[in-house]
Amino acid sequence: MSAASLSFSVCRQYIEASTVGIRPAYRHFPVISCKLPSVSRIYQSGTLCIQLPAKEKSRRPSTRPNIQMTLVDETFGRGKVIITPSEILAYDLVQGPLVRWSYIADKSVPCPPTAVLLHGILGSRKNWGIFARRLAKEFPNWQFLLVDLRCHGDSASIAKTGPHTVASAALDVLKLLGHLRVTPRVIIGHSFGGKVALSMVEQAAKPLARPVRVWVLDATPGKVRAGRDEDDHPAELIKFLNAFPNEVVSKREVISALVCEGFSNDVAQWIVTNLRQINPSNSSSGFSWKFNLDGIAEMYESYEDTNLWDVVEDLPRGVHVNFLKAERSLHRWALGDLQRIHAAEEQASQEAGGVEMHVLEDAGHWVHADNPDGLFRILSFSFEGL
């Protein structure tokens, strides 16, 4: 099966399938979206038809064609084909308008410069959607891989075995990169995702095949320290959500409960993006959570305790790590942490790698929402010159 070649044509007739969504979601920024595969209809000729998912129902008939993917392999016509669920994380691939590449296309076509964007605890790849499309517009020869980490978003339904840790989340992303045959030039991780990025460096081959810039957004390599008493604390938020019903009548109900408990309205509005309608065809049906909260609780505990200072202070050749501190950070950046980062910065400046420290003004912990323009300016130099 691995030797089978792939060809594409357009299905003019409706053929039902519910596997992988491959969709040009935006006119100028094509998005290849991968979710959990399930059993599809495969004919003896070896033709697998994939229906492009519609975002919502419309009164107008859909003119969007289906994509027909033909696996050219004689063995398909002689025996039964079994498709098993994949353990590959759910992702979106946002490509600049000049990118002409697919991992299932001709292997001789070189992979374009790629950046990986990782969300934090209780987030999803959708958190980076607007920002990634802005990057794709500004840097049209780049592509941006947005990932749902284990227990989050569309990856929550994957049966991932524990322990649910920073290291296991990083290994998941490395496996996805191997599956796509992509070697990223840039890795950007926010909060928990920042430690995942550092763990990816720790687990990858050393020295790396090409220079890689790693951005750790509002997270330190070591022990996580909570902020002021009036700040929203992720551990308390996870505990509160664990006591909440698995199904709710409305998003407004959740927002009201969170605000009454003392969480900010911004956090409450963000959390309900993790709710999905139980029955999309019935607008009056309730909502359920997308994420695996038990697994997330274990991941956050690992985030607090994981120590990756050794990675920062002994970087593999070719790696450049950039720390970004939000001016109004949710977490306390201890003086000792800042001094240790600056010491690593001085040491790494004499080697092929490097460590740098940045401060994003007028931003709290949610840097890509609080000050997207400032974050864009700081990150932009990582994509210039390629």
Side-chain angles (χ1 to χ4, degrees):
M1 182 172 177
S2 60
S5 60
L6 300 177
S7 62
F8 291 87
S9 59
V10 176
C11 290
R12 294 299 178 186
Q13 298 178 350
Y14 174 81
I15 300 176
E16 182 179 2
S18 59
T19 55
V20 183
I22 304 178
R23 54 184 175 85
Y26 300 90
R27 178 172 299 175
H28 299 295
F29 313 114
V31 178
I32 301 174
S33 178
C34 179
K35 299 183 181 180
L36 287 180
S38 56
V39 176
S40 297
R41 187 171 300 177
I42 296 185
Y43 296 89
Q44 287 188 348
S45 62
T47 298
L48 167 64
C49 283
I50 302 173
Q51 182 189 358
L52 291 174
K55 288 185 177 180
E56 55 183 349
K57 287 196 171 182
S58 172
R59 295 181 181 178
R60 297 175 59 188
S62 174
T63 58
R64 184 183 295 175
N66 294 337
I67 289 179
Q68 177 174 290
M69 180 171 68
T70 303
L71 300 173
V72 185
D73 189 339
E74 293 180 357
T75 60
F76 275 79
R78 297 197 297 266
K80 182 180 291 187
V81 178
I82 299 176
I83 296 181
T84 58
S86 172
E87 293 188 359
I88 297 300
L89 297 173
Y91 66 90
D92 285 338
L93 190 59
V94 181
Q95 297 180 323
L98 299 182
V99 175
R100 301 290 183 270
W101 178 87
S102 170
Y103 82 97
I104 55 177
D106 185 356
K107 292 184 180 180
S108 65
V109 177
C111 178
T114 304
V116 179
L117 284 78
L118 306 173
H119 62 80
I121 285 289
L122 293 170
S124 74
R125 70 188 192 273
K126 303 302 181 185
N127 297 157
W128 282 111
I130 294 175
F131 197 87
R133 292 192 292 276
R134 181 177 177 181
L135 286 169
K137 180 179 179 180
E138 182 69 19
F139 305 102
N141 63 326
W142 279 75
Q143 63 181 12
F144 302 88
L145 181 65
L146 285 57
V147 181
D148 276 346
L149 298 175
R150 63 165 57 204
C151 302
H152 292 76
D154 291 318
S155 294
S157 54
I158 303 175
K160 290 289 186 183
T161 58
H164 300 296
T165 63
V166 169
S168 59
L171 183 58
D172 292 340
V173 180
L174 290 172
K175 288 180 178 178
L176 172 62
L177 293 172
H179 172 74
L180 298 177
R181 295 184 282 109
V182 167
T183 301
R185 302 288 185 93
V186 176
I187 305 173
I188 303 171
H190 173 240
S191 195
F192 177 89
K195 275 196 174 178
V196 171
L198 289 176
S199 183
M200 289 171 62
V201 172
E202 183 182 44
Q203 297 182 56
K206 304 177 182 59
L208 299 183
R210 63 182 64 172
V212 175
R213 283 192 175 271
V214 177
W215 285 88
V216 181
L217 307 183
D218 211 37
T220 60
K223 181 72 175 178
V224 174
R225 298 172 175 85
R228 300 176 298 274
D229 291 339
E230 65 269 20
D231 287 329
D232 294 306
H233 295 286
E236 294 176 5
L237 181 57
I238 293 169
K239 182 178 179 180
F240 179 78
L241 293 175
N242 249 325
F244 220 76
N246 291 328
E247 297 182 4
V248 297
V249 176
S250 69
K251 294 183 178 181
R252 184 177 301 175
E253 169 192 351
V254 179
I255 293 172
S256 297
L258 286 165
V259 172
C260 288
E261 189 67 17
F263 296 99
S264 68
N265 184 66
D266 288 343
V267 167
Q269 294 283 352
W270 166 66
I271 282 297
V272 297
T273 62
N274 286 291
L275 286 169
R276 72 174 117 213
Q277 202 151 28
I278 297 171
N279 184 3
S281 62
N282 180 4
S283 59
S284 62
S285 68
F287 297 83
S288 62
W289 297 107
K290 294 180 184 179
F291 43 53
N292 172 0
L293 205 52
D294 289 338
I296 287 176
E298 191 175 347
M299 291 170 76
Y300 185 75
E301 185 177 349
S302 170
Y303 169 63
E304 286 191 323
D305 295 336
T306 296
N307 189 326
L308 292 167
W309 278 111
D310 287 347
V311 179
V312 176
E313 294 172 340
D314 187 20
L315 283 177
R317 183 173 297 275
V319 178
H320 193 114
V321 176
N322 298 266
F323 290 95
L324 183 141
K325 175 188 180 298
E327 185 180 32
R328 304 189 308 274
S329 178
L330 170 67
H331 303 296
R332 289 205 311 268
W333 284 69
L335 179 60
D337 290 341
L338 296 174
Q339 291 174 337
R340 200 166 176 179
I341 289 174
H342 286 307
E345 186 175 5
E346 293 179 6
Q347 177 182 344
S349 65
Q350 303 172 4
E351 302 172 2
V355 177
E356 289 187 48
M357 185 72 195
H358 310 261
V359 176
L360 180 61
E361 297 179 350
D362 193 27
H365 183 61
W366 316 107
V367 290
H368 41 321
D370 292 346
N371 187 358
D373 292 340
L375 181 62
F376 187 87
R377 286 192 297 270
I378 291 175
L379 293 180
S380 287
F381 80 88
S382 291
F383 307 104
E384 295 170 349
L386 285 176

